[in-house]
Amino acid sequence: DLRETLARLGAGLAIRRGDAVAETVRLALAARAEAVFTSEDVSAYAQARERRLERALGGARIGLETFPGVTVVSPGDVAPAGGDHFKVFSPYWRRWRMEARRPLLAAPGQLRAPDVEWGALPELRDLVAGGTAPELPRGGETAGRERLDAWLRDGLAGYAEGRDDLAGDRTSRLSPYLHLGCVSPLEVAERSGESEEFVRQLCWRDFHHQLLAARPELAWEDMRPREGNWSDGGESLVAWKQGRTGYPLVDAGMRQLLREGWMHNRARLTAGSFLTKHLGIDWRAGAAHFFEHLVDGDVASNTGNWQWVAGTGADTRPYRRLSPLRQAERFDPDERYVRRYVPELGTPEYPEPIVPLDRPRPGQLPL
């Protein structure tokens, strides 16, 4: 889709295989470029890649210019007094919503293509180890913009009321397109206008990005130390991954993940809380499984939300845990979501619960 769009504008999409920095420098030299332009990113890998690229391009006398684009507000633009990043969401949200946003620029109407080899487009099997979810959303900017237009027209007005309706599927489903750069988070925020509840979710995404930008180690280290040791999971982890825990809402969410490469946020919270708070399994095992299957699995949001639900991250109530039974009663009372993904519910084929739901400890909230 990107190659076709660029071709209509008079340019092309160059495909290269190998080290990202080395291939970028080779392509820039072949194109006789004076500068390379890129969107800034926040993970440890991305930050190290940018430093390597700057050094390599400098040696070739080619400039490097980075621009915001991955978030609505750049990670360093909103900071608390006396600090470089926010550790709690609420004060970040209050500052973020008042921050002046950079202008939303129109795309160019014409481009000039350099004289370079464009290279062959890879097949999906060349990019992904193993199989993929059978019901992945259609990729590309064209599909992303169609999804955004449909959401703004038909879905946005009812988001505050329906965001937790599991069966109703009343969320935007824009996260894959945001993650892969097919739609601009700034444009989504600007076009969402006064819809505070939805724009707040974009702020959550920015919050996790500014946190990871300041502390890249949070992709693998706890933000808040946890008492006791995590379990390695064993057969319980396998059952959770397969959606066979005996708790229908957890299982429905995990099967939606395998089928679609995506999961409703309420199901993500419930499945994550069950893994960490009921099974006592390390959040990193859950995050790794999500990374393997989620089409929207970026480092900042995935690890940030996993730490939040595990009680090792930015949640100010770290002992909060979600009961899969209570969550189902509240957000899937007719079992329409569950039965969509667990058709054998109520038959002998459906497993018994792998663990009992023990009474919460003092301070834990069985929501």
Side-chain angles (χ1 to χ4, degrees), residues 178-236:
L178 289 166
H179 167 54
L180 294 167
C182 300
V183 296
S184 158
L186 176 62
E187 180 179 358
V188 175
E190 289 292 308
R191 293 181 63 188
S192 296
E194 301 301 319
S195 178
E196 181 173 301
E197 194 67 29
F198 180 68
V199 172
R200 186 181 174 92
Q201 305 313 307
L202 296 171
C203 181
W204 264 112
R205 185 175 177 275
D206 278 15
F207 172 76
H208 288 309
H209 277 75
Q210 63 92 38
L211 197 59
L212 191 64
R215 302 177 62 182
E217 72 278 3
L218 293 183
W220 59 88
E221 291 184 3
D222 288 336
M223 179 180 172
R224 302 174 188 268
R226 176 184 181 274
E227 298 177 4
N229 297 318
W230 292 110
S231 165
D232 62 5
E235 293 183 1
S236 294

Side-chain angles (χ1 to χ4, degrees), residues 210-280:
Q210 63 92 38
L211 197 59
L212 191 64
R215 302 177 62 182
E217 72 278 3
L218 293 183
W220 59 88
E221 291 184 3
D222 288 336
M223 179 180 172
R224 302 174 188 268
R226 176 184 181 274
E227 298 177 4
N229 297 318
W230 292 110
S231 165
D232 62 5
E235 293 183 1
S236 294
L237 178 59
V238 174
W240 178 82
K241 289 180 177 180
Q242 294 176 346
R244 296 190 59 79
T245 68
Y247 289 97
L249 181 52
V250 173
D251 294 340
M254 299 306 295
R255 295 189 196 186
Q256 183 182 25
L257 173 65
L258 298 178
R259 184 193 296 185
E260 302 174 13
W262 185 88
M263 191 194 303
H264 193 288
N265 184 61
R266 179 53 55 177
R268 297 190 199 203
L269 293 172
T270 305
S273 181
F274 182 80
L275 182 79
T276 57
K277 299 291 179 63
H278 291 285
L279 298 180

Side-chain angles (χ1 to χ4, degrees), residues 43-169:
S43 71
Y45 171 80
Q47 292 187 43
R49 178 182 57 194
E50 184 179 317
R51 292 191 295 268
R52 288 177 54 220
L53 182 58
E54 186 174 27
R55 290 194 298 269
L57 289 172
R61 299 182 180 278
I62 298 173
L64 173 66
E65 296 192 41
T66 61
F67 294 87
V70 175
T71 55
V72 179
V73 175
S74 294
D77 286 356
V78 178
D84 63 345
H85 68 286
F86 281 91
K87 303 176 182 65
V88 177
F89 176 75
S90 293
Y92 178 79
W93 161 245
R94 289 192 291 269
R95 285 283 306 278
W96 182 93
R97 64 193 302 195
M98 302 300 295
E99 184 72 13
R101 296 173 185 164
R102 63 187 184 276
L104 186 63
L105 304 178
Q110 186 175 3
L111 296 170
R112 186 176 62 181
D115 184 16
V116 298
E117 292 291 330
W118 297 114
L121 287 171
E123 298 291 334
L124 185 59
R125 63 177 177 269
D126 299 327
L127 301 175
V128 180
T132 60
E135 298 180 17
L136 283 175
R138 184 164 61 99
E141 181 180 356
T142 300
R145 297 190 71 81
E146 289 174 358
R147 180 64 196 171
L148 174 58
D149 290 342
W151 167 249
L152 295 173
R153 181 183 65 247
D154 303 325
L156 180 62
Y159 177 76
E161 176 188 359
R163 53 175 292 198
D164 285 318
D165 178 2
L166 284 158
D169 197 14

Side-chain angles (χ1 to χ4, degrees), residues 204 208 226 230 240 265-278 281-284 286-287 290 301-323 327 364-365 367:
W204 264 112
H208 288 309
R226 176 184 181 274
W230 292 110
W240 178 82
N265 184 61
R266 179 53 55 177
R268 297 190 199 203
L269 293 172
T270 305
S273 181
F274 182 80
L275 182 79
T276 57
K277 299 291 179 63
H278 291 285
I281 295 174
D282 194 331
W283 63 267
R284 282 160 279 245
F290 273 30
S301 295
N302 190 39
T303 57
N305 281 312
W306 266 103
Q307 289 218 42
W308 187 93
V309 80
T312 65
D315 188 4
T316 56
R317 296 187 290 175
Y319 293 108
R320 175 202 326 248
R321 70 173 178 175
L322 306 181
S323 162
Q327 292 290 298
Q364 288 185 326
L365 306 174
L367 304 175

